[in-house]
């Protein structure tokens, strides 16, 4: 892992790779490495968006805000209830959204001590979208729909060419991830029911805490 990160330090993601390597050297935990990469990537994306000072700024904020909503909620649930991190440790890893999960709302949510109560604290339309979710996989699937719907809306009706280009890339990446899940499942000879869940063809059934305990 450290050798790979050192190689990446010589490329366009040098800053992210260096900071991720330093964290991994300190903690030697894969989840800390993943969290650092995500946090630094999204913080950089926010900085890029704020460089626009024209009509592209607001539509980009809305689209990137949707990505941040998804990332923040999934990270918050994972860190608090799977990895058992403290509220302060969890909040440090989050990048406040331009859209729904802003700084003040995240500060309140990281202090909620129950998975279901976090979902109940969400604003509309996330509250309705995630009502009845019982596990992280289901939340991830529904938040994917949230991002997809926003990207399709921007691609079809947006007036910003930059935002529309980004929406196209988001949708293409999501398609490629589904294809990757199918190929990976076949190569690893995983059970068909797991492949179906990864391909979003079946509903996940694992209760809260099962994956963390495993």
């Amino acid at each position: 892992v450290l050798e790979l990160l050192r190689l990446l330090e010589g490329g366009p993601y040098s800053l992210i790779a260096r900071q991720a390597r330093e964290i991994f050297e300190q903690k030697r935990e894969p989840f800390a490495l993943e969290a650092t990469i995500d946090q630094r990537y999204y913080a950089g994306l926010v900085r890029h968006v704020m460089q626009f000072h024209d009509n592209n700024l607001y539509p980009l904020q809305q689209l990137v805000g949707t990505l941040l909503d998804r990332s923040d909620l999934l990270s918050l649930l994972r860190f608090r209830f799977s990895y058992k991190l403290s509220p302060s440790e969890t909040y440090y890893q989050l990048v406040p959204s331009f859209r729904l999960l802003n700084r003040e709302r995240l500060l309140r949510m990281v202090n909620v001590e129950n998975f279901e109560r976090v979902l109940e604290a969400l604003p509309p339309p996330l509250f309705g979208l995630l009502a009845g979710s019982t596990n992280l996989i289901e939340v991830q699937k529904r938040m994917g729909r949230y991002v997809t719907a926003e990207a399709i809306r921007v691609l079809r009706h947006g007036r910003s060419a930059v935002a529309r280009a980004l929406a196209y890339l988001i949708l293409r990446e999501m398609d490629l991830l589904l294809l990757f899940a199918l190929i990976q499942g076949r190569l690893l000879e995983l059970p068909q029911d797991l492949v179906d869940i990864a391909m979003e063809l079946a509903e996940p059934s694992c209760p809260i805490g099962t994956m963390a305990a495993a």
Side-chain angles (χ1 to χ4, degrees):
V1 172
L2 292 175
E3 182 181 358
L4 174 60
L5 291 172
R6 287 192 181 95
L7 288 173
L8 291 174
E9 287 183 46
Y13 299 105
S14 58
L15 180 59
I16 294 177
R18 179 177 59 79
Q19 293 173 334
R21 176 178 57 80
E22 292 172 353
I23 291 294
F24 190 73
E25 285 176 335
Q26 296 171 13
K27 299 188 177 181
R28 298 285 176 168
E29 295 176 337
F31 88 86
L33 176 62
E34 179 185 4
T36 300
I37 291 174
D38 284 349
Q39 199 269 351
R40 301 301 190 271
Y41 173 79
Y42 283 112
L45 187 59
V46 167
R47 287 195 297 272
H48 285 306
V49 168
M50 296 309 296
Q51 291 178 6
F52 287 87
H53 299 286
D54 52 23
N55 293 334
N56 291 299
L57 178 58
Y58 179 74
L60 281 172
Q61 285 180 317
Q62 293 297 290
L63 183 57
V64 172
T66 304
L67 294 175
L68 291 172
D69 287 340
R70 177 184 63 178
S71 175
D72 284 337
L73 180 58
L74 292 175
S75 296
L76 189 154
L77 293 173
R78 184 181 296 118
F79 297 155
R80 290 289 285 123
F81 306 116
S82 294
Y83 302 149
K84 307 298 182 182
L85 299 187
S86 68
S88 59
E89 288 177 305
T90 298
Y91 181 78
Y92 174 75
Q93 299 292 345
L94 305 179
V95 179
S97 172
F98 295 116
R99 199 154 193 178
L100 298 176
L101 301 187
N102 55 37
R103 187 179 308 276
E104 291 73 21
R105 184 166 277 126
L106 289 174
L107 281 170
R108 293 195 299 270
M109 290 173 59
V110 294
N111 287 287
V112 177
E113 298 293 337
N114 179 278
F115 183 99
E116 291 83 1
R117 292 289 178 86
V118 170
L119 300 186
E120 291 172 1
L122 291 170
L126 297 185
F127 175 79
L129 176 68
L130 299 175
S133 298
T134 59
N135 57 69
L136 188 59
I137 298 176
E138 191 170 359
V139 172
Q140 179 175 328
K141 181 177 178 179
R142 296 189 188 190
M143 289 301 291
R145 294 172 184 168
Y146 167 68
V147 172
T148 298
E150 177 62 14
I152 290 174
R153 185 193 68 79
V154 171
L155 186 60
R156 289 178 176 174
H157 307 293
R159 296 184 178 181
S160 166
V162 180
R164 292 179 67 231
L166 179 58
Y168 171 81
L169 291 174
I170 290 170
L171 293 170
R172 175 55 63 88
E173 180 189 36
M174 296 176 79
D175 287 341
L176 290 175
L177 288 174
L178 290 176
L179 180 61
F180 177 75
L182 174 61
I183 294 172
Q184 188 178 44
R186 291 288 184 264
L187 291 175
L188 297 176
E189 300 181 352
L190 297 177
Q192 185 61 44
D193 56 344
L194 291 182
V195 176
D196 288 345
I197 291 173
M199 292 291 297
E200 300 185 359
L201 299 175
E203 295 292 334
S205 57
C206 58
I208 296 173
T210 299
M211 296 303 289

